[in-house]
Each structure stands twice: as structure tokens, then as C-alpha cells.
Amino acid sequence: MKDITTHLSVVGRAVRSDRTRPASHRLSELAAWLFSINADRWRRRALFYERHCDYFPRLSSGRFVDRCHELEATYRGLAQMMFPMPLQVQWVPVRAMVSRIK
């Protein structure tokens, strides 16, 4: 029986994701981005149950859809409050170290 050797070639390539990402890595902008994403999720959830009220009569006629709209407004308000927050820069005095060669 012959020995068969198989070689697997690995081709590396950059994987690009088409998802939207926050523009900055600052914590406040990241939190605001997450709040806006959550607001969109609550809006879509409320619209879904309003659109399909025949299939979900209890959820669409009850307090659930109103609560979805309240959560959407809350998250959107938090996102709008956090986006315009300026970056606070504090200057700290630093003693420069100089090495002297004798």
C-alpha cells in the first residue's frame, strides 16, 4: 500500500466585516453607540408587534408595546446625551529624565 501524504495549503486573507462600528474607541462614545443600537432594537420590536397584531393580540394590545416605546425613548435620550460629551483632557506635570554620560 502506498503512503499518501496530503498537504493543506492555508491562504490567509483579511476578513472585513460590514457591520457598523463606533467611530471612536472612547468609552462614552461606545456606550452611546450601544444605547442607540438598543433603542433601534426596541423600536423594531414594537413595530413588529404593532404590524402583526392579529397574530399576537395580547402583546400588541397590552402594555408591552407601550413599554417598548418607553424603552426606545429612554435609550435614545441616553445616546443623545452621551454623544455630545467632550473629551476631558487633563494635563499632568511630568519631570523629564535626562541621562548624562560622564
Side-chain angles (χ1 to χ4, degrees):
M1 180 181 225
K2 294 183 179 180
D3 292 331
I4 299 175
T5 306
T6 58
H7 295 284
L8 298 175
S9 62
V10 179
V11 177
R13 67 180 177 129
V15 177
R16 293 183 59 193
S17 65
D18 293 333
R19 292 181 293 173
T20 58
R21 291 189 180 186
S24 176
H25 297 290
R26 291 190 317 177
L27 185 60
S28 63
E29 289 187 9
L30 177 64
W33 179 72
L34 289 173
F35 286 142
S36 65
I37 294 296
N38 282 336
D40 289 338
R41 287 181 61 206
W42 284 111
R43 181 185 56 80
R44 286 193 312 263
R45 184 171 290 168
L47 289 176
F48 174 80
Y49 286 111
E50 287 173 347
R51 190 176 304 137
H52 301 290
C53 62
D54 296 337
Y55 297 107
F56 305 103
R58 285 187 181 175
L59 288 175
S60 62
S61 65
R63 173 126 171 81
F64 180 74
V65 175
D66 294 335
R67 183 65 179 152
C68 289
H69 287 298
E70 290 173 8
L71 287 171
E72 175 197 357
T74 303
Y75 279 116
R76 190 136 347 254
L78 284 171
Q80 290 173 353
M81 181 180 66
M82 293 187 78
F83 264 121
M85 288 178 59
L87 178 65
Q88 295 178 355
V89 178
Q90 296 178 352
W91 294 96
V92 178
V94 176
R95 183 181 297 173
M97 297 190 61
V98 178
S99 62
R100 296 183 184 187
I101 300 174
K102 291 185 179 182

